[in-house]
Short mmCIF file of all heavy atoms in Angstrom, two decimals:
data_model
loop_
_atom_site.label_atom_id
_atom_site.label_comp_id
_atom_site.label_asym_id
_atom_site.label_seq_id
_atom_site.Cartn_x
_atom_site.Cartn_y
_atom_site.Cartn_z
N CYS L 74 -133.00 -25.85 -134.70
CA CYS L 74 -132.06 -25.57 -133.62
C CYS L 74 -132.62 -26.02 -132.27
O CYS L 74 -133.73 -25.61 -131.88
CB CYS L 74 -131.73 -24.07 -133.56
SG CYS L 74 -130.72 -23.51 -134.93
N TYR L 90 -121.81 -27.93 -134.22
CA TYR L 90 -122.46 -26.64 -133.94
C TYR L 90 -123.60 -26.86 -132.96
O TYR L 90 -124.55 -27.60 -133.18
CB TYR L 90 -122.99 -25.99 -135.23
CG TYR L 90 -123.82 -24.79 -134.93
CD1 TYR L 90 -123.23 -23.62 -134.32
CD2 TYR L 90 -125.15 -24.69 -135.24
CE1 TYR L 90 -123.93 -22.53 -134.06
CE2 TYR L 90 -125.90 -23.59 -134.95
CZ TYR L 90 -125.31 -22.50 -134.36
OH TYR L 90 -126.03 -21.37 -134.08
N LEU L 93 -127.24 -21.57 -129.57
CA LEU L 93 -127.39 -20.89 -128.30
C LEU L 93 -128.85 -20.76 -127.89
O LEU L 93 -129.15 -20.27 -126.82
CB LEU L 93 -126.80 -19.48 -128.39
CG LEU L 93 -125.32 -19.37 -128.74
CD1 LEU L 93 -124.89 -17.93 -128.94
CD2 LEU L 93 -124.52 -19.97 -127.59
N PHE L 94 -129.74 -21.15 -128.78
CA PHE L 94 -131.18 -20.93 -128.53
C PHE L 94 -132.00 -22.06 -129.08
O PHE L 94 -131.55 -22.74 -130.03
CB PHE L 94 -131.60 -19.59 -129.12
CG PHE L 94 -131.39 -19.52 -130.65
CD1 PHE L 94 -132.38 -19.89 -131.52
CD2 PHE L 94 -130.14 -19.07 -131.16
CE1 PHE L 94 -132.14 -19.82 -132.93
CE2 PHE L 94 -129.94 -19.02 -132.52
CZ PHE L 94 -130.96 -19.41 -133.42
N ARG L 194 -140.59 -19.94 -138.26
CA ARG L 194 -139.37 -20.56 -138.70
C ARG L 194 -138.16 -20.11 -137.91
O ARG L 194 -136.99 -20.41 -138.28
CB ARG L 194 -139.12 -20.24 -140.19
CG ARG L 194 -140.10 -20.99 -141.14
CD ARG L 194 -139.88 -20.59 -142.59
NE ARG L 194 -140.09 -19.17 -142.80
CZ ARG L 194 -139.10 -18.33 -143.16
NH1 ARG L 194 -137.87 -18.72 -143.33
NH2 ARG L 194 -139.38 -17.04 -143.30
N TYR L 195 -138.38 -19.37 -136.84
CA TYR L 195 -137.23 -18.91 -136.07
C TYR L 195 -136.50 -20.13 -135.55
O TYR L 195 -137.10 -20.95 -134.88
CB TYR L 195 -137.65 -17.93 -134.94
CG TYR L 195 -136.41 -17.30 -134.34
CD1 TYR L 195 -135.83 -16.21 -134.99
CD2 TYR L 195 -135.78 -17.85 -133.26
CE1 TYR L 195 -134.65 -15.64 -134.48
CE2 TYR L 195 -134.63 -17.29 -132.72
CZ TYR L 195 -134.07 -16.16 -133.30
OH TYR L 195 -132.91 -15.62 -132.85
N GLY L 196 -135.23 -20.25 -135.86
CA GLY L 196 -134.45 -21.37 -135.42
C GLY L 196 -134.44 -22.53 -136.36
O GLY L 196 -133.93 -23.62 -136.07
N LEU L 197 -134.98 -22.30 -137.53
CA LEU L 197 -134.88 -23.32 -138.58
C LEU L 197 -133.66 -22.96 -139.46
O LEU L 197 -133.61 -21.81 -140.02
CB LEU L 197 -136.14 -23.33 -139.47
CG LEU L 197 -136.11 -24.19 -140.70
CD1 LEU L 197 -136.08 -25.68 -140.36
CD2 LEU L 197 -137.26 -23.92 -141.62
N SER L 199 -132.04 -22.54 -142.57
CA SER L 199 -132.76 -22.35 -143.82
C SER L 199 -132.29 -23.22 -144.97
O SER L 199 -131.07 -23.42 -145.16
CB SER L 199 -132.62 -20.91 -144.28
OG SER L 199 -133.08 -20.04 -143.31
N ASP L 202 -135.88 -19.80 -147.72
CA ASP L 202 -136.78 -19.20 -146.75
C ASP L 202 -138.18 -18.95 -147.22
O ASP L 202 -139.13 -19.01 -146.43
CB ASP L 202 -136.16 -17.85 -146.26
CG ASP L 202 -134.73 -18.04 -145.86
OD1 ASP L 202 -134.50 -18.39 -144.70
OD2 ASP L 202 -133.85 -17.88 -146.71
N SER L 203 -138.36 -18.64 -148.49
CA SER L 203 -139.71 -18.33 -148.95
C SER L 203 -140.53 -19.60 -149.15
O SER L 203 -141.71 -19.57 -149.47
CB SER L 203 -139.67 -17.48 -150.26
OG SER L 203 -139.37 -18.32 -151.38
N GLN L 229 -143.09 -13.09 -132.98
CA GLN L 229 -142.46 -11.78 -133.41
C GLN L 229 -141.02 -11.98 -133.89
O GLN L 229 -140.47 -11.02 -134.45
CB GLN L 229 -142.47 -10.81 -132.22
CG GLN L 229 -141.72 -11.30 -131.00
CD GLN L 229 -141.59 -10.25 -129.94
OE1 GLN L 229 -142.15 -9.16 -130.04
NE2 GLN L 229 -140.83 -10.51 -128.94
N LYS L 230 -140.47 -13.14 -133.71
CA LYS L 230 -139.09 -13.35 -134.18
C LYS L 230 -139.03 -13.76 -135.64
O LYS L 230 -137.94 -13.89 -136.19
CB LYS L 230 -138.41 -14.44 -133.35
CG LYS L 230 -138.06 -13.96 -131.94
CD LYS L 230 -137.44 -15.12 -131.20
CE LYS L 230 -137.01 -14.69 -129.79
NZ LYS L 230 -136.68 -15.85 -128.99
N ALA L 232 -140.57 -12.59 -139.17
CA ALA L 232 -141.38 -11.56 -139.76
C ALA L 232 -142.43 -12.16 -140.77
O ALA L 232 -143.37 -11.45 -141.10
CB ALA L 232 -140.48 -10.59 -140.51
N THR L 233 -142.23 -13.40 -141.17
CA THR L 233 -143.21 -13.95 -142.13
C THR L 233 -144.26 -14.80 -141.45
O THR L 233 -145.12 -15.41 -142.05
CB THR L 233 -142.47 -14.89 -143.18
OG1 THR L 233 -141.90 -16.01 -142.48
CG2 THR L 233 -141.41 -14.13 -143.91
N GLU L 306 -132.21 -19.02 -153.34
CA GLU L 306 -132.19 -18.73 -151.90
C GLU L 306 -131.18 -19.58 -151.15
O GLU L 306 -130.47 -19.08 -150.30
CB GLU L 306 -133.62 -18.89 -151.36
CG GLU L 306 -134.58 -17.86 -151.90
CD GLU L 306 -135.98 -17.99 -151.31
OE1 GLU L 306 -136.18 -18.62 -150.27
OE2 GLU L 306 -136.94 -17.47 -151.93
N SER L 309 -127.58 -18.45 -151.36
CA SER L 309 -127.28 -17.35 -150.50
C SER L 309 -127.26 -17.75 -149.04
O SER L 309 -126.47 -17.27 -148.22
CB SER L 309 -128.18 -16.15 -150.81
OG SER L 309 -129.36 -16.18 -150.07
N ASN L 310 -128.17 -18.65 -148.66
CA ASN L 310 -128.22 -19.09 -147.25
C ASN L 310 -126.91 -19.85 -146.83
O ASN L 310 -126.46 -19.77 -145.74
CB ASN L 310 -129.41 -20.02 -147.03
CG ASN L 310 -130.69 -19.26 -146.87
OD1 ASN L 310 -130.67 -18.15 -146.31
ND2 ASN L 310 -131.76 -19.75 -147.42
N ALA L 312 -124.01 -19.35 -148.02
CA ALA L 312 -122.81 -18.51 -148.09
C ALA L 312 -122.13 -18.33 -146.75
O ALA L 312 -120.95 -18.22 -146.64
CB ALA L 312 -123.15 -17.13 -148.68
N ARG L 313 -122.98 -18.24 -145.67
CA ARG L 313 -122.39 -17.99 -144.34
C ARG L 313 -121.51 -19.15 -143.83
O ARG L 313 -120.69 -18.95 -142.98
CB ARG L 313 -123.50 -17.70 -143.36
CG ARG L 313 -124.23 -18.88 -142.86
CD ARG L 313 -125.45 -18.45 -141.99
NE ARG L 313 -126.41 -17.71 -142.79
CZ ARG L 313 -127.50 -17.08 -142.32
NH1 ARG L 313 -127.68 -17.05 -141.04
NH2 ARG L 313 -128.36 -16.53 -143.11
N PHE L 314 -121.68 -20.33 -144.42
CA PHE L 314 -120.90 -21.43 -143.96
C PHE L 314 -119.56 -21.44 -144.73
O PHE L 314 -119.48 -21.99 -145.84
CB PHE L 314 -121.62 -22.78 -144.16
CG PHE L 314 -122.98 -22.78 -143.48
CD1 PHE L 314 -124.15 -22.93 -144.19
CD2 PHE L 314 -123.04 -22.48 -142.09
CE1 PHE L 314 -125.39 -22.90 -143.55
CE2 PHE L 314 -124.32 -22.42 -141.46
CZ PHE L 314 -125.46 -22.64 -142.20
N CYS L 315 -118.57 -20.76 -144.20
CA CYS L 315 -117.37 -20.53 -144.94
C CYS L 315 -116.17 -20.83 -144.11
O CYS L 315 -115.03 -20.53 -144.50
CB CYS L 315 -117.34 -19.07 -145.40
SG CYS L 315 -117.41 -17.91 -144.04
N LEU L 317 -115.49 -19.54 -141.27
CA LEU L 317 -115.09 -18.41 -140.43
C LEU L 317 -115.47 -18.68 -138.97
O LEU L 317 -114.70 -18.49 -138.07
CB LEU L 317 -115.77 -17.13 -140.97
CG LEU L 317 -115.31 -15.83 -140.31
CD1 LEU L 317 -113.87 -15.62 -140.64
CD2 LEU L 317 -116.15 -14.69 -140.75
N ARG L 318 -116.69 -19.11 -138.82
CA ARG L 318 -117.13 -19.39 -137.43
C ARG L 318 -117.77 -20.74 -137.24
O ARG L 318 -117.84 -21.25 -136.16
CB ARG L 318 -118.12 -18.28 -136.98
CG ARG L 318 -117.44 -17.00 -136.70
CD ARG L 318 -118.47 -15.90 -136.72
NE ARG L 318 -119.10 -15.91 -138.01
CZ ARG L 318 -120.31 -15.44 -138.23
NH1 ARG L 318 -121.00 -14.97 -137.25
NH2 ARG L 318 -120.83 -15.45 -139.43
N TYR L 319 -118.26 -21.34 -138.33
CA TYR L 319 -118.84 -22.69 -138.20
C TYR L 319 -117.98 -23.63 -138.98
O TYR L 319 -117.64 -23.38 -140.10
CB TYR L 319 -120.29 -22.69 -138.76
CG TYR L 319 -121.07 -21.50 -138.33
CD1 TYR L 319 -121.37 -20.48 -139.18
CD2 TYR L 319 -121.42 -21.37 -136.97
CE1 TYR L 319 -122.03 -19.39 -138.77
CE2 TYR L 319 -122.10 -20.25 -136.54
CZ TYR L 319 -122.41 -19.26 -137.43
OH TYR L 319 -123.09 -18.16 -137.06
N PHE L 324 -110.45 -19.37 -138.61
CA PHE L 324 -111.09 -18.46 -139.52
C PHE L 324 -110.34 -18.09 -140.80
O PHE L 324 -110.92 -17.93 -141.87
CB PHE L 324 -111.51 -17.18 -138.78
CG PHE L 324 -110.65 -15.99 -139.06
CD1 PHE L 324 -110.96 -15.14 -140.12
CD2 PHE L 324 -109.54 -15.75 -138.29
CE1 PHE L 324 -110.21 -14.05 -140.36
CE2 PHE L 324 -108.74 -14.65 -138.56
CZ PHE L 324 -109.09 -13.78 -139.59
N PHE L 328 -112.02 -19.47 -147.57
CA PHE L 328 -113.41 -19.93 -147.58
C PHE L 328 -113.64 -21.09 -148.60
O PHE L 328 -114.28 -22.07 -148.32
CB PHE L 328 -114.30 -18.79 -148.04
CG PHE L 328 -114.36 -17.59 -147.12
CD1 PHE L 328 -114.90 -16.39 -147.52
CD2 PHE L 328 -113.92 -17.71 -145.80
CE1 PHE L 328 -114.91 -15.30 -146.67
CE2 PHE L 328 -113.96 -16.65 -144.94
CZ PHE L 328 -114.47 -15.44 -145.37
N ARG L 332 -115.22 -24.79 -148.09
CA ARG L 332 -116.51 -25.18 -148.67
C ARG L 332 -116.32 -26.32 -149.63
O ARG L 332 -117.21 -27.23 -149.70
CB ARG L 332 -117.09 -23.92 -149.39
CG ARG L 332 -117.57 -22.88 -148.43
CD ARG L 332 -117.76 -21.49 -149.07
NE ARG L 332 -118.83 -21.43 -149.99
CZ ARG L 332 -120.14 -21.32 -149.71
NH1 ARG L 332 -120.45 -21.26 -148.42
NH2 ARG L 332 -121.04 -21.22 -150.61
N ARG L 351 -129.14 -16.30 -160.29
CA ARG L 351 -129.32 -14.96 -159.83
C ARG L 351 -128.19 -14.03 -160.25
O ARG L 351 -128.04 -12.90 -159.77
CB ARG L 351 -129.52 -14.93 -158.29
CG ARG L 351 -128.39 -15.52 -157.51
CD ARG L 351 -128.75 -15.69 -155.98
NE ARG L 351 -127.83 -16.48 -155.28
CZ ARG L 351 -126.73 -16.05 -154.71
NH1 ARG L 351 -126.40 -14.76 -154.73
NH2 ARG L 351 -125.93 -16.86 -154.04
N MET L 352 -127.35 -14.53 -161.21
CA MET L 352 -126.25 -13.67 -161.70
C MET L 352 -126.75 -12.54 -162.54
O MET L 352 -127.75 -12.74 -163.28
CB MET L 352 -125.33 -14.52 -162.57
CG MET L 352 -124.06 -14.93 -161.87
SD MET L 352 -123.21 -16.23 -162.85
CE MET L 352 -122.60 -15.28 -164.23
N ALA L 353 -126.09 -11.40 -162.50
CA ALA L 353 -126.49 -10.30 -163.36
C ALA L 353 -126.46 -10.77 -164.80
O ALA L 353 -125.54 -11.52 -165.20
CB ALA L 353 -125.49 -9.17 -163.17
N ARG L 356 -130.42 -13.17 -164.12
CA ARG L 356 -131.42 -13.19 -163.06
C ARG L 356 -132.80 -12.83 -163.59
O ARG L 356 -133.83 -13.40 -163.12
CB ARG L 356 -131.04 -12.32 -161.88
CG ARG L 356 -131.10 -10.82 -162.09
CD ARG L 356 -130.51 -10.05 -160.91
NE ARG L 356 -131.31 -10.15 -159.66
CZ ARG L 356 -132.35 -9.32 -159.41
NH1 ARG L 356 -132.74 -8.44 -160.29
NH2 ARG L 356 -133.02 -9.44 -158.29
N TYR L 360 -134.25 -16.11 -162.24
CA TYR L 360 -134.82 -15.87 -160.87
C TYR L 360 -136.08 -15.06 -160.89
O TYR L 360 -137.08 -15.46 -160.35
CB TYR L 360 -133.74 -15.23 -160.00
CG TYR L 360 -134.24 -14.77 -158.69
CD1 TYR L 360 -134.61 -15.70 -157.76
CD2 TYR L 360 -134.39 -13.42 -158.40
CE1 TYR L 360 -135.13 -15.27 -156.52
CE2 TYR L 360 -134.92 -13.01 -157.22
CZ TYR L 360 -135.29 -13.96 -156.26
OH TYR L 360 -135.78 -13.52 -155.07
N PRO Q 61 -127.52 -13.67 -131.84
CA PRO Q 61 -127.52 -14.62 -132.98
C PRO Q 61 -127.98 -14.01 -134.30
O PRO Q 61 -127.52 -14.37 -135.36
CB PRO Q 61 -128.54 -15.67 -132.54
CG PRO Q 61 -128.43 -15.74 -131.05
CD PRO Q 61 -128.21 -14.24 -130.67
N ILE Q 62 -128.82 -12.95 -134.28
CA ILE Q 62 -129.27 -12.42 -135.52
C ILE Q 62 -128.20 -11.54 -136.22
O ILE Q 62 -127.86 -11.76 -137.37
CB ILE Q 62 -130.56 -11.54 -135.28
CG1 ILE Q 62 -131.67 -12.43 -134.77
CG2 ILE Q 62 -130.99 -10.85 -136.55
CD1 ILE Q 62 -132.87 -11.72 -134.21
N LEU Q 64 -125.13 -11.72 -135.64
CA LEU Q 64 -123.97 -12.57 -135.90
C LEU Q 64 -124.27 -13.56 -137.02
O LEU Q 64 -123.39 -14.34 -137.43
CB LEU Q 64 -123.62 -13.35 -134.63
CG LEU Q 64 -123.02 -12.58 -133.49
CD1 LEU Q 64 -123.00 -13.39 -132.21
CD2 LEU Q 64 -121.60 -12.12 -133.80
N GLY Q 65 -125.49 -13.57 -137.52
CA GLY Q 65 -125.82 -14.43 -138.61
C GLY Q 65 -125.86 -15.94 -138.28
O GLY Q 65 -125.56 -16.79 -139.11
N HIS Q 66 -126.19 -16.25 -137.05
CA HIS Q 66 -126.23 -17.63 -136.63
C HIS Q 66 -127.27 -18.39 -137.48
O HIS Q 66 -128.32 -17.81 -137.76
CB HIS Q 66 -126.61 -17.80 -135.16
CG HIS Q 66 -125.47 -17.58 -134.20
ND1 HIS Q 66 -125.47 -17.97 -132.95
CD2 HIS Q 66 -124.24 -16.98 -134.44
CE1 HIS Q 66 -124.33 -17.66 -132.34
NE2 HIS Q 66 -123.59 -17.03 -133.23
N PRO Q 67 -126.95 -19.64 -137.81
CA PRO Q 67 -127.95 -20.42 -138.57
C PRO Q 67 -129.31 -20.50 -137.81
O PRO Q 67 -129.27 -20.77 -136.61
CB PRO Q 67 -127.33 -21.81 -138.68
CG PRO Q 67 -125.98 -21.73 -138.12
CD PRO Q 67 -125.77 -20.41 -137.50
N GLY Q 68 -130.40 -20.29 -138.51
CA GLY Q 68 -131.71 -20.39 -137.86
C GLY Q 68 -132.21 -19.06 -137.37
O GLY Q 68 -133.40 -18.91 -137.08
N SER Q 69 -131.30 -18.04 -137.24
CA SER Q 69 -131.78 -16.71 -136.82
C SER Q 69 -132.42 -15.99 -138.01
O SER Q 69 -132.10 -16.31 -139.15
CB SER Q 69 -130.65 -15.91 -136.23
OG SER Q 69 -129.75 -15.57 -137.23
N ARG Q 70 -133.28 -15.05 -137.73
CA ARG Q 70 -133.91 -14.32 -138.80
C ARG Q 70 -134.08 -12.86 -138.50
O ARG Q 70 -134.23 -12.44 -137.34
CB ARG Q 70 -135.37 -14.86 -139.01
CG ARG Q 70 -135.47 -16.23 -139.03
CD ARG Q 70 -136.60 -16.90 -139.72
NE ARG Q 70 -136.23 -18.27 -139.81
CZ ARG Q 70 -135.59 -18.82 -140.83
NH1 ARG Q 70 -135.34 -18.11 -141.89
NH2 ARG Q 70 -135.22 -20.07 -140.81
N PRO Q 71 -134.06 -12.05 -139.56
CA PRO Q 71 -134.16 -10.58 -139.34
C PRO Q 71 -135.64 -10.18 -139.17
O PRO Q 71 -136.52 -10.76 -139.76
CB PRO Q 71 -133.64 -10.04 -140.67
CG PRO Q 71 -133.98 -11.13 -141.71
CD PRO Q 71 -133.89 -12.38 -140.97
N VAL Q 72 -135.84 -9.22 -138.29
CA VAL Q 72 -137.16 -8.57 -138.17
C VAL Q 72 -136.96 -7.04 -138.27
O VAL Q 72 -136.06 -6.51 -137.58
CB VAL Q 72 -137.82 -8.94 -136.83
CG1 VAL Q 72 -139.16 -8.20 -136.66
CG2 VAL Q 72 -138.09 -10.45 -136.75
N ARG Q 100 -131.07 -9.36 -150.89
CA ARG Q 100 -129.76 -9.87 -150.39
C ARG Q 100 -128.69 -9.60 -151.43
O ARG Q 100 -128.83 -9.96 -152.60
CB ARG Q 100 -129.80 -11.39 -150.19
CG ARG Q 100 -130.72 -11.81 -149.05
CD ARG Q 100 -130.69 -13.33 -148.94
NE ARG Q 100 -131.48 -13.77 -147.79
CZ ARG Q 100 -131.74 -15.03 -147.52
NH1 ARG Q 100 -131.17 -15.99 -148.26
NH2 ARG Q 100 -132.45 -15.37 -146.49
N SER Q 102 -125.02 -10.51 -152.33
CA SER Q 102 -124.08 -11.54 -151.94
C SER Q 102 -122.62 -11.20 -152.30
O SER Q 102 -122.38 -10.85 -153.46
CB SER Q 102 -124.45 -12.86 -152.59
OG SER Q 102 -125.72 -13.28 -152.16
N PHE Q 104 -118.48 -12.47 -150.60
CA PHE Q 104 -117.78 -13.03 -149.50
C PHE Q 104 -116.77 -12.05 -148.94
O PHE Q 104 -115.90 -11.58 -149.67
CB PHE Q 104 -117.06 -14.34 -149.94
CG PHE Q 104 -117.97 -15.50 -150.10
CD1 PHE Q 104 -118.73 -15.66 -151.24
CD2 PHE Q 104 -118.12 -16.46 -149.09
CE1 PHE Q 104 -119.61 -16.73 -151.39
CE2 PHE Q 104 -118.99 -17.54 -149.21
CZ PHE Q 104 -119.71 -17.68 -150.34
N TYR Q 105 -116.88 -11.73 -147.65
CA TYR Q 105 -115.87 -10.94 -147.02
C TYR Q 105 -115.97 -11.16 -145.53
O TYR Q 105 -117.06 -11.39 -145.03
CB TYR Q 105 -116.15 -9.44 -147.37
CG TYR Q 105 -114.91 -8.62 -147.26
CD1 TYR Q 105 -113.87 -8.81 -148.15
CD2 TYR Q 105 -114.75 -7.71 -146.19
CE1 TYR Q 105 -112.69 -8.03 -148.02
CE2 TYR Q 105 -113.57 -6.93 -146.06
CZ TYR Q 105 -112.55 -7.11 -146.98
OH TYR Q 105 -111.43 -6.37 -146.85
N PRO Q 106 -114.83 -11.15 -144.84
CA PRO Q 106 -114.89 -11.50 -143.38
C PRO Q 106 -115.75 -10.60 -142.54
O PRO Q 106 -116.12 -11.00 -141.43
CB PRO Q 106 -113.42 -11.41 -142.96
CG PRO Q 106 -112.59 -11.51 -144.17
CD PRO Q 106 -113.46 -10.93 -145.28
N SER Q 109 -121.49 -11.10 -141.72
CA SER Q 109 -121.85 -12.24 -140.85
C SER Q 109 -122.53 -13.37 -141.65
O SER Q 109 -122.49 -14.47 -141.24
CB SER Q 109 -122.70 -11.78 -139.67
OG SER Q 109 -123.90 -11.26 -140.17
N LYS Q 110 -123.22 -12.99 -142.74
CA LYS Q 110 -123.96 -14.02 -143.47
C LYS Q 110 -123.39 -14.20 -144.88
O LYS Q 110 -123.88 -14.98 -145.63
CB LYS Q 110 -125.43 -13.57 -143.59
CG LYS Q 110 -126.08 -13.25 -142.27
CD LYS Q 110 -127.50 -12.77 -142.41
CE LYS Q 110 -127.72 -11.43 -142.98
NZ LYS Q 110 -127.34 -10.33 -142.10
N ASN Q 111 -122.35 -13.43 -145.19
CA ASN Q 111 -121.83 -13.37 -146.55
C ASN Q 111 -122.85 -12.85 -147.56
O ASN Q 111 -122.72 -13.05 -148.76
CB ASN Q 111 -121.17 -14.63 -147.05
CG ASN Q 111 -119.78 -14.79 -146.38
OD1 ASN Q 111 -119.06 -13.79 -146.19
ND2 ASN Q 111 -119.43 -15.98 -146.01
N PHE Q 112 -123.89 -12.21 -147.05
CA PHE Q 112 -124.73 -11.35 -147.89
C PHE Q 112 -125.19 -10.22 -146.97
O PHE Q 112 -125.26 -10.37 -145.76
CB PHE Q 112 -125.89 -12.11 -148.50
CG PHE Q 112 -126.91 -12.73 -147.56
CD1 PHE Q 112 -127.85 -11.89 -146.88
CD2 PHE Q 112 -126.94 -14.08 -147.35
CE1 PHE Q 112 -128.79 -12.48 -146.05
CE2 PHE Q 112 -127.87 -14.65 -146.51
CZ PHE Q 112 -128.82 -13.85 -145.85
N PHE Q 117 -132.58 -3.28 -153.56
CA PHE Q 117 -132.13 -3.34 -154.93
C PHE Q 117 -133.29 -3.14 -155.89
O PHE Q 117 -133.22 -2.27 -156.73
CB PHE Q 117 -131.49 -4.69 -155.16
CG PHE Q 117 -130.98 -4.89 -156.54
CD1 PHE Q 117 -129.92 -4.21 -157.03
CD2 PHE Q 117 -131.67 -5.72 -157.43
CE1 PHE Q 117 -129.46 -4.35 -158.35
CE2 PHE Q 117 -131.21 -5.92 -158.75
CZ PHE Q 117 -130.16 -5.21 -159.21
N GLU Q 118 -134.36 -3.87 -155.72
CA GLU Q 118 -135.44 -3.82 -156.71
C GLU Q 118 -136.00 -2.40 -156.84
O GLU Q 118 -136.24 -1.88 -157.93
CB GLU Q 118 -136.57 -4.76 -156.29
CG GLU Q 118 -136.18 -6.23 -156.10
CD GLU Q 118 -135.71 -6.90 -157.39
OE1 GLU Q 118 -136.17 -6.52 -158.44
OE2 GLU Q 118 -134.81 -7.82 -157.29
N CYS Q 161 -106.60 -10.75 -138.51
CA CYS Q 161 -107.48 -9.54 -138.33
C CYS Q 161 -108.57 -9.95 -137.38
O CYS Q 161 -108.98 -11.11 -137.31
CB CYS Q 161 -107.95 -9.15 -139.73
SG CYS Q 161 -109.67 -9.08 -139.99
N ILE Q 163 -112.47 -9.28 -135.74
CA ILE Q 163 -113.78 -8.83 -136.17
C ILE Q 163 -114.59 -8.38 -134.97
O ILE Q 163 -114.69 -9.10 -134.02
CB ILE Q 163 -114.53 -9.92 -136.95
CG1 ILE Q 163 -113.66 -10.51 -138.02
CG2 ILE Q 163 -115.81 -9.38 -137.53
CD1 ILE Q 163 -114.28 -11.61 -138.81
N TYR Q 165 -118.32 -7.31 -134.05
CA TYR Q 165 -119.72 -7.28 -134.60
C TYR Q 165 -120.65 -6.27 -133.96
O TYR Q 165 -121.85 -6.27 -134.21
CB TYR Q 165 -120.30 -8.73 -134.44
CG TYR Q 165 -119.71 -9.72 -135.45
CD1 TYR Q 165 -118.60 -10.45 -135.08
CD2 TYR Q 165 -120.19 -9.84 -136.70
CE1 TYR Q 165 -117.99 -11.36 -135.96
CE2 TYR Q 165 -119.60 -10.73 -137.60
CZ TYR Q 165 -118.55 -11.50 -137.23
OH TYR Q 165 -117.96 -12.41 -138.10
N ASP Q 284 -120.93 -8.40 -159.54
CA ASP Q 284 -122.09 -9.26 -159.60
C ASP Q 284 -122.45 -9.72 -158.19
O ASP Q 284 -121.77 -10.52 -157.59
CB ASP Q 284 -121.84 -10.49 -160.48
CG ASP Q 284 -123.10 -11.20 -160.79
OD1 ASP Q 284 -124.13 -10.92 -160.12
OD2 ASP Q 284 -123.11 -12.01 -161.73
N GLY Q 286 -125.48 -10.98 -157.31
CA GLY Q 286 -126.50 -12.04 -157.32
C GLY Q 286 -127.69 -11.69 -156.46
O GLY Q 286 -128.11 -12.47 -155.64
N TYR Q 287 -128.24 -10.47 -156.66
CA TYR Q 287 -129.33 -10.06 -155.81
C TYR Q 287 -130.59 -10.93 -155.85
O TYR Q 287 -131.03 -11.31 -156.92
CB TYR Q 287 -129.80 -8.63 -156.25
CG TYR Q 287 -128.82 -7.52 -155.94
CD1 TYR Q 287 -127.97 -7.05 -156.85
CD2 TYR Q 287 -128.84 -6.95 -154.65
CE1 TYR Q 287 -127.15 -5.99 -156.55
CE2 TYR Q 287 -127.94 -5.89 -154.37
CZ TYR Q 287 -127.12 -5.46 -155.34
OH TYR Q 287 -126.24 -4.44 -155.04
N ILE Q 288 -131.10 -11.34 -154.71
CA ILE Q 288 -132.41 -11.90 -154.64
C ILE Q 288 -133.24 -11.18 -153.63
O ILE Q 288 -132.72 -10.48 -152.76
CB ILE Q 288 -132.42 -13.44 -154.29
CG1 ILE Q 288 -131.77 -13.66 -152.90
CG2 ILE Q 288 -131.71 -14.27 -155.36
CD1 ILE Q 288 -132.02 -15.04 -152.37
N ILE Q 289 -134.54 -11.26 -153.74
CA ILE Q 289 -135.42 -10.61 -152.78
C ILE Q 289 -135.25 -11.33 -151.46
O ILE Q 289 -135.25 -12.55 -151.34
CB ILE Q 289 -136.87 -10.66 -153.27
CG1 ILE Q 289 -136.99 -9.81 -154.56
CG2 ILE Q 289 -137.85 -10.17 -152.22
CD1 ILE Q 289 -138.14 -10.16 -155.43
N PRO Q 291 -136.14 -13.24 -148.60
CA PRO Q 291 -137.40 -13.96 -148.34
C PRO Q 291 -137.86 -13.88 -146.94
O PRO Q 291 -139.03 -14.22 -146.61
CB PRO Q 291 -137.05 -15.37 -148.80
CG PRO Q 291 -135.58 -15.49 -148.73
CD PRO Q 291 -135.02 -14.12 -148.89
N ASP Q 292 -136.95 -13.53 -145.99
CA ASP Q 292 -137.36 -13.52 -144.57
C ASP Q 292 -138.07 -12.23 -144.18
O ASP Q 292 -138.59 -12.11 -143.05
CB ASP Q 292 -136.13 -13.72 -143.70
CG ASP Q 292 -135.85 -15.20 -143.46
OD1 ASP Q 292 -136.82 -16.00 -143.57
OD2 ASP Q 292 -134.68 -15.52 -143.20
N PRO Q 294 -141.11 -9.82 -145.22
CA PRO Q 294 -142.24 -9.61 -146.10
C PRO Q 294 -142.18 -8.19 -146.67
O PRO Q 294 -141.71 -7.24 -146.00
CB PRO Q 294 -143.47 -9.81 -145.23
CG PRO Q 294 -142.98 -10.03 -143.85
CD PRO Q 294 -141.47 -10.06 -143.81
#
Side-chain angles (χ1 to χ4, degrees):
Chain L
C74 290
Y90 174 63
L93 298 174
F94 58 93
R194 290 178 297 114
Y195 191 81
L197 171 70
S199 303
D202 310 272
S203 77
Q229 60 170 9
K230 289 178 176 168
T233 65
E306 291 181 20
S309 86
N310 282 323
R313 76 188 67 188
F314 305 120
C315 59
L317 188 65
R318 286 160 303 153
Y319 315 107
F324 106 90
F328 296 165
R332 290 163 67 82
R351 59 190 168 88
M352 258 168 73
R356 71 187 290 276
Y360 172 69
Chain Q
I62 297 167
L64 288 168
H66 280 198
S69 70
R70 315 204 167 268
V72 175
R100 292 179 177 176
S102 295
F104 283 82
Y105 205 69
S109 64
K110 307 178 287 290
N111 283 324
F112 62 76
F117 178 71
E118 303 295 331
C161 123
I163 309 178
Y165 288 92
D284 194 345
Y287 288 100
I288 59 166
I289 294 159
D292 273 335

